[in-house]
Amino acid sequence: MRVKWKYAVAGGLAGIANGFFGGGGGSVFVPLLTRYCKLEQRKAFATSVAVILPLCALSVAIYFFRGGLDVLEALPYLIGGTLGGWVGGKWFKGMKILWLKRVFGLMLIYGGVKSFL
């Protein structure tokens, strides 16, 4: 399989965001996949999840070995996140693309506003 350089660049930018902020690579990756790499929106969301999983695992390992992660403290968030991911994955298939875009956009705006306040 031939890797196109723009796909590798998009993945690299998502990895940098994920490592730098401890997460959030998908917020960079989905717009890159749809606009820059020309993936269909639903496929971009699913691809982002598949790519971000190993990036998050790598970030977790780095934070853990540098002493910045308390696994027991993170456990309730992991349980809730697992449940939320399952529910979101079930809803994803039936949700219209327009609403996926709107929800994603609102989450980006919310995160951006919270970052500045």
Side-chain angles (χ1 to χ4, degrees), residues 34-115:
T34 55
R35 289 189 183 90
Y36 188 59
C37 299
K38 306 296 184 210
L39 255 63
E40 180 264 325
Q41 191 79 37
R42 195 174 298 275
K43 194 172 196 172
F45 282 117
T47 301
S48 175
V49 170
V51 171
I52 296 303
L53 176 64
L55 296 177
C56 286
L58 178 61
S59 294
V60 164
I62 291 169
Y63 281 100
F64 178 78
F65 288 115
R66 290 192 175 170
L69 173 64
D70 181 347
V71 176
L72 290 177
E73 196 172 290
L75 193 58
Y77 302 106
L78 177 61
I79 293 167
T82 300
L83 181 61
W86 181 78
V87 170
K90 291 290 187 182
W91 286 349
F92 175 76
K93 187 175 182 180
M95 189 177 263
K96 293 183 180 190
I97 291 295
L98 178 63
W99 284 104
L100 283 172
K101 287 180 174 183
R102 287 178 177 169
V103 169
F104 184 70
L106 286 173
M107 289 176 67
L108 289 177
I109 291 169
Y110 173 78
V113 168
K114 292 293 284 183
S115 294

